[in-house]
Amino acid sequence: MAKPVDEDELKRTIGPMQQSIMRQSTGNQFWMNQLDGATYEPARIAALTHLYSDISTMTAADLQATAAKYLRPDRDWTMQVVPKAK
């Protein structure tokens, strides 16, 4: 990612995510899904306690750094699905 997303675009992306978390977290199904496997992976519980604040405090620079870490051209791959030859 050559340049960070602008502030307006970031807000338009984060806002709906925040609203979704707020709505979904009022129901048991959200918590059951999020805590699935937490007995074997306790870090899930710790991560869940920061979910809303992590999303709310995300900056364009954070997003750019994460993209640079994981979206690397040297690790990119492409798959092409083609029909069987007759």
Side-chain angles (χ1 to χ4, degrees):
M1 211 168 153
K3 66 178 192 126
V5 297
D6 62 43
E7 197 63 32
D8 180 57
E9 186 175 2
L10 185 64
K11 285 180 183 177
R12 286 186 286 123
T13 303
I14 291 176
M17 292 171 70
Q18 291 171 310
Q19 292 172 5
S20 178
I21 291 170
M22 292 299 287
R23 276 194 309 273
Q24 291 178 24
S25 66
T26 62
N28 290 336
Q29 190 66 40
F30 171 83
W31 297 106
M32 295 296 287
N33 288 337
Q34 295 300 316
L35 293 172
D36 183 38
T39 56
Y40 302 106
E41 192 180 353
R44 284 178 167 266
I45 297 169
L48 188 56
T49 62
H50 301 282
L51 178 64
Y52 186 84
S53 64
D54 286 349
I55 290 173
S56 298
T57 60
M58 187 182 340
T59 65
D62 295 334
L63 192 57
Q64 187 177 21
T66 303
K69 181 177 179 179
Y70 294 105
L71 303 177
R72 295 175 30 194
D74 62 320
R75 310 235 15 227
D76 183 31
W77 63 275
T78 302
M79 179 174 83
Q80 184 176 14
V81 178
V82 296
K84 255 186 188 180
K86 292 185 178 182

